[in-house]
Amino acid sequence: EAEVAQSPRYKITEKSQAVAFWCDPISGHATLYWYRQILGQGPELLVQFQDESVVDDSQLPKDRFSAERLKGVDSTLKIQPAELGDSAMYLCASSQSSYNSPLHFGNGTRLTVT
Amino acid sequence: GENVEQHPSTLSVQEGDSAVIKCTYSDSASNYFPWYKQELGKRPQLIIDIRSNVGEKKDQRIAVTLNKTAKHFSLHITETQPEDSAVYFCAASIDYKLSFGAGTTVTVRA
């Protein structure tokens, strides 16, 4: 079964440093999502792409977070500078379409900011 | 935006018993309701979903019911087994935007 690939699996960084996460969705999935999951909570949408275009980034802290999906395939999420409160699991997901289509999640990147 | 509340936050059941998790949503325009299971250290995985034009859906030991009037939906797991132990998340979607509940940690006691 095809899976969403994410790297790195774990990342430890000091506050004020830059950090980047990578995601490769399931082949053919036009919609890509970045979620943040704080321990004990449900995933929270940060940004959603339809092909290479941003559909929703209303919850993305744009002063420090950026996301891109230049060729409409893989995607990068960046944080600069990282803050202590950014420690969380960052999940990437993809779906065939943006309308009520099941999400397939990657294994996530566990970020710890010290 | 959509607000999804999930109860209970933790649930402990004896193996073989049933487990029920309930969720409510705030926006009557929500039209898609998936449930995800997340085992410790693993990715969330879709276990069942229901659309607003359906009242109930079953898949083996798992069933979901939807009450649009009351704006709530529930997950039912029958004949629970140890491998059902996990965190379960409900979600509600308006068009393309999916909002998740806070999760229910289910523990199945042997």
Side-chain angles (χ1 to χ4, degrees):
Chain A
E1 182 181 338
E3 295 184 346
V4 175
Q6 284 190 252
S7 66
R9 189 80 168 91
Y10 303 93
K11 180 70 178 179
I12 300 174
T13 191
E14 295 182 346
K15 63 180 181 179
S16 80
Q17 295 299 303
V19 64
F21 315 130
W22 176 80
C23 172
D24 191 12
I26 293 173
S27 179
H29 281 195
T31 312
L32 184 147
Y33 313 77
W34 283 102
Y35 281 87
R36 176 170 59 187
Q37 186 177 23
I38 296 171
L39 196 62
Q41 299 183 18
E44 174 193 20
L45 180 68
L46 291 175
V47 62
Q48 178 180 343
F49 290 91
Q50 182 66 28
D51 299 311
E52 66 275 10
S53 300
V54 173
V55 174
D56 188 337
D57 63 357
S58 57
Q59 300 302 311
L60 189 70
K62 298 180 188 63
D63 57 335
R64 298 184 300 107
F65 286 64
S66 64
E68 61 182 16
R69 193 184 184 198
L70 293 177
K71 296 182 179 179
V73 181
D74 59 338
S75 175
T76 301
L77 178 69
K78 297 179 181 177
I79 307 175
Q80 183 176 14
E83 296 180 353
L84 294 177
D86 296 332
S87 295
M89 175 71 82
Y90 290 82
L91 292 164
C92 179
S94 69
S95 64
Q96 286 188 321
S97 73
S98 62
Y99 186 77
N100 293 345
S101 186
L103 268 61
H104 299 263
F105 284 91
N107 282 322
T109 295
R110 169 73 66 189
L111 174 67
T112 301
V113 182
T114 61
Chain B
E2 176 64 278
N3 181 41
V4 179
E5 294 190 355
Q6 184 170 347
H7 300 279
S9 57
T10 61
L11 181 60
S12 180
V13 296
Q14 190 69 36
E15 183 177 357
D17 288 350
S18 296
V20 180
I21 304 170
K22 298 181 180 181
C23 290
T24 61
Y25 58 99
S26 59
D27 196 322
S28 57
S30 290
N31 52 16
Y32 175 62
F33 307 90
W35 287 86
Y36 286 83
K37 175 183 180 182
Q38 187 173 29
E39 298 177 40
L40 191 63
K42 295 188 178 181
R43 69 186 77 190
Q45 291 193 303
L46 179 73
I47 55 172
I48 195 167
D49 57 6
I50 192 169
R51 300 180 192 279
S52 59
N53 59 345
V54 175
E56 183 176 1
K57 184 177 179 180
K58 287 184 179 181
D59 183 3
Q60 299 182 350
R61 297 186 295 108
I62 294 174
V64 58
T65 59
L66 171 64
N67 183 326
K68 290 189 295 182
T69 303
K71 291 189 286 186
H72 69 69
F73 55 114
S74 301
L75 178 72
H76 304 253
I77 307 173
T78 58
E79 301 173 14
T80 53
Q81 301 169 6
E83 53 265 36
D84 294 329
S85 295
V87 180
Y88 292 81
F89 293 97
C90 63
S93 174
I94 300 175
D95 294 328
Y96 64 85
K97 190 163 185 176
L98 197 62
S99 298
F100 285 84
T104 297
T105 301
V106 174
T107 302
V108 180
R109 307 187 307 272

